[in-house]
Amino acid sequence: MANRYSFWSLLKHGLKHHETWQPAWRTPQLKPRYDVIIIGGGGHGLATAYYLAKNHGVKNVAVLEKGYLGGGNTARNTTIVRSNYLWDESAHLYEHALKLWEGLSQELNFNVMFSQRGVMNLGHTLQDMRDIERRVNANVLNGIDGVILSPKEIQDIVPLMDVSASTRFPVMGASYQPRGGVARHDAVAWGFARGASELGVDLIEQCEVTGMIIEDGRIKGVHTTQGDVFADRVGCVAAGSTSTLAKMAGVRLPLESHPLQAFVSESMKPCLDTVVMSNAVHGYVSQSDKGELVIGAGIDSYLGYGQRGSPHVIEHTAAAIIELFPSFSRVRLNRQWGGIVDVAPDACPIIGKSPVKGLYFNCGWGTGGFKATPGSGHVFAHTIANDAPHPLNAAFALDRFSTGHLIDEHGAAGVAH
Ligand code: FAD
Ligand code: PYC
């Protein structure tokens, strides 16, 4: 009965009574001046605006989004959340984000569907296993949950996986982070958008930033498709489009923009309740709440801004997943897409000041920024509000590329690049 009641109720409201629903956020006119402008209405930009208003009392803020909120990589990613990075700096940053994820639905009063179903990173060679042992040990020393699994233990958690010695790349073991998992990507953007809007932040969609207004080395505002708008502090949170925006400010960042693809299958009954990733065979898979297999690849190796990607990458990834899960060979694929990821040479983000006073960048998250969304917004808001980094993002400043203090996280990146 309960199901029938919710079906009719849903139908009734879907067909008719939704006219009275309140929009989740306001649609204000763009004002000529703000205290802070955030360029980019993805999860990170919206989280930054939310924490600026909530934690720092900076409420005269505009988020300028060239398309619709959360329509960039936030809408295109495969939502894996984990904090099992190798180096202390990144482990602390991602663990900060993971702790925020654990209370995010309550914080935003919006169900972001964070599901801690565990994330497994497979090893297929002796060197993979050495790297896994080193990373899990480092995680445990940092207070981050992690264990090393044998093939038998993997099989107990994921019975459908072929862990026999007869595969082309036999599974020798895995790292496993039980607190990792997945979340609902749209809900994260919508939850932060609603929270920021309620606190007074203006969310301006269909508003593309086309130029920067800079005087005497200091940011004064931006040109947009809706006119000029002024602010003494501007935060740029534009993922794959960051280099284009930096160029408008005369700044050259060490970033490359690559396509990253994913695809989903038809819906099926629950068969996989853990996230399985393999950097070595270039594929990862989870099952969504709708029952689709969500499958992703390594980056396409060429640079580009077309949000599509090349078919041979999908073919390679599908082959790897089918080898791990032979029974998936009969599953039909439903749709495929690509996003443009901003990759830094050490596979770590750049968060902090730029050579232009008052202009800050939060970028370089590459293939792995969704998991950082609340933590990224939290520390970036601190950086903008105080004109100084939060202790957790101090190591991620742009100057690491001149001082040489790189934080190489290629091994923990999760997908190959
Ligand atoms: P976005 O959501 O891209 O937001 C940036 C916004 O800036 C966009 O909405 C864009 O329209 C806007 N913008 C750009 N230029 C301008 C301009 N000139 N004016 C105004 N607005 C502008 N990460 C994980 O942690 N786990 C995963 O499983 C994962 N899977 C991925 C799978 C794929 C296929 C892809 C593509 C990425 C994946 N990522 C994953 C990476 C993750 O999606 C990103 O790191 C993260 O979403 C970046 O968030 P963002 O808010 O910075 O960027
Ligand atoms: O960073 O965990 C990750 C990830 C998974 C898929 C794409 N990125």
Side-chain angles (χ1 to χ4, degrees):
M1 280 309 282
N3 282 345
R4 279 181 61 197
Y5 174 78
S6 30
F7 171 76
W8 289 115
S9 161
L10 200 63
L11 192 67
K12 191 173 79 179
H13 284 90
L15 287 178
K16 207 160 166 27
H17 296 291
H18 64 280
E19 298 93 341
T20 56
W21 291 1
Q22 291 299 309
W25 52 86
R26 298 173 294 110
T27 47
Q29 288 294 308
L30 183 63
K31 292 190 290 195
R33 170 165 279 284
Y34 290 91
D35 292 337
V36 176
I37 290 171
I38 300 296
I39 306 173
H44 288 226
L46 293 165
T48 305
Y50 173 80
Y51 288 116
L52 269 170
K54 173 91 190 293
N55 292 2
H56 303 280
V58 184
K59 297 184 177 176
N60 186 23
V61 177
V63 177
L64 308 182
E65 167 53 50
K66 72 175 174 184
Y68 60 92
L69 298 182
N73 285 351
T74 300
R76 294 160 183 276
N77 86 94
T78 46
T79 80
I80 298 172
V81 176
R82 57 189 174 86
S83 62
N84 55 354
Y85 282 73
L86 175 65
W87 298 105
D88 292 353
E89 295 86 344
S90 26
H92 291 153
L93 181 61
Y94 287 101
E95 179 60 14
H96 176 56
L98 183 43
K99 290 211 170 94
L100 290 173
W101 275 111
E102 288 174 331
L104 199 58
S105 294
Q106 288 78 8
E107 166 75 23
L108 299 175
N109 188 24
F110 201 103
N111 187 1
V112 300
M113 297 172 72
F114 182 44
S115 160
Q116 292 181 289
R117 59 185 64 182
V119 174
M120 211 179 260
N121 296 87
L122 303 180
H124 301 266
T125 64
L126 278 176
Q127 188 56 47
D128 278 356
M129 291 313 298
R130 283 188 200 112
D131 292 342
I132 282 172
E133 277 165 32
R134 182 178 177 208
R135 187 162 45 76
V136 170
N137 287 338
N139 291 161
V140 171
L141 286 172
N142 271 322
I144 295 171
D145 59 320
V147 287
I148 299 165
L149 301 179
S150 67
K152 164 81 180 60
E153 289 165 322
I154 295 171
Q155 184 90 85
D156 290 345
I157 299 174
V158 189
L160 284 184
M161 197 193 301
D162 183 355
V163 297
S164 70
S166 61
T167 57
R168 204 157 35 122
F169 302 105
V171 175
M172 297 183 71
S175 71
Y176 184 58
Q177 185 178 22
R179 284 166 62 242
V182 289
R184 172 80 200 163
H185 45 12
D186 297 324
V188 177
W190 298 338
F192 274 121
R194 188 180 72 169
S197 179
E198 274 171 2
L199 290 166
V201 171
D202 283 357
L203 306 175
I204 314 287
E205 298 177 84
Q206 307 298 329
C207 182
E208 179 169 358
V209 171
T210 53
M212 307 259 180
I213 305 167
I214 296 168
E215 287 171 16
D216 300 326
R218 168 167 273 292
I219 193 87
K220 293 289 174 186
V222 293
H223 303 298
T224 82
T225 46
Q226 295 190 23
D228 291 353
V229 49
F230 293 89
D232 290 335
R233 285 173 289 172
V234 174
C236 182
V237 203
S241 302
T242 305
S243 307
T244 315
L245 280 155
K247 194 173 173 196
M248 293 175 195
V251 175
R252 196 147 180 256
L253 295 175
L255 291 177
E256 288 184 348
S257 291
H258 289 264
L260 180 68
Q261 304 190 52
F263 45 99
V264 293
S265 74
E266 60 188 327
S267 291
M268 300 185 297
K269 286 189 176 168
C271 62
L272 179 65
D273 61 1
T274 300
V275 180
V276 176
M277 309 181 67
S278 170
N279 212 336
V281 299
H282 295 173
Y284 61 91
V285 58
S286 66
Q287 188 172 24
S288 75
D289 295 307
K290 284 189 283 180
E292 303 158 325
L293 295 177
V294 181
I295 299 174
I299 58 169
D300 283 37
S301 53
Y302 60 88
L303 310 181
Y305 289 93
Q307 296 185 109
R308 288 179 302 274
S310 304
H312 72 274
V313 177
I314 314 174
E315 192 179 356
H316 177 78
T317 296
I321 295 298
I322 288 169
E323 192 154 3
L324 283 172
F325 295 90
S327 56
F328 291 170
S329 65
R330 286 159 56 215
V331 176
R332 284 168 296 194
L333 291 186
N334 205 354
R335 57 183 195 281
Q336 168 275 346
W337 66 91
I340 303 306
V341 296
D342 45 334
V343 177
D346 57 356
C348 274
I350 300 167
I351 317 169
K353 297 183 185 191
S354 79
V356 177
K357 285 200 179 60
L359 177 64
Y360 309 85
F361 283 94
N362 182 347
C363 56
W365 292 96
T367 62
F370 178 73
K371 69 177 75 63
T373 304
S376 157
H378 187 265
V379 300
F380 197 45
H382 176 106
T383 304
I384 295 174
N386 297 289
D387 192 33
H390 185 282
L392 287 172
N393 68 294
F396 296 92
L398 183 56
D399 69 4
R400 75 177 186 272
F401 298 99
S402 46
T403 62
H405 288 107
L406 302 181
I407 309 157
D408 189 341
E409 286 290 0
H410 278 96
V415 297
H417 57 293

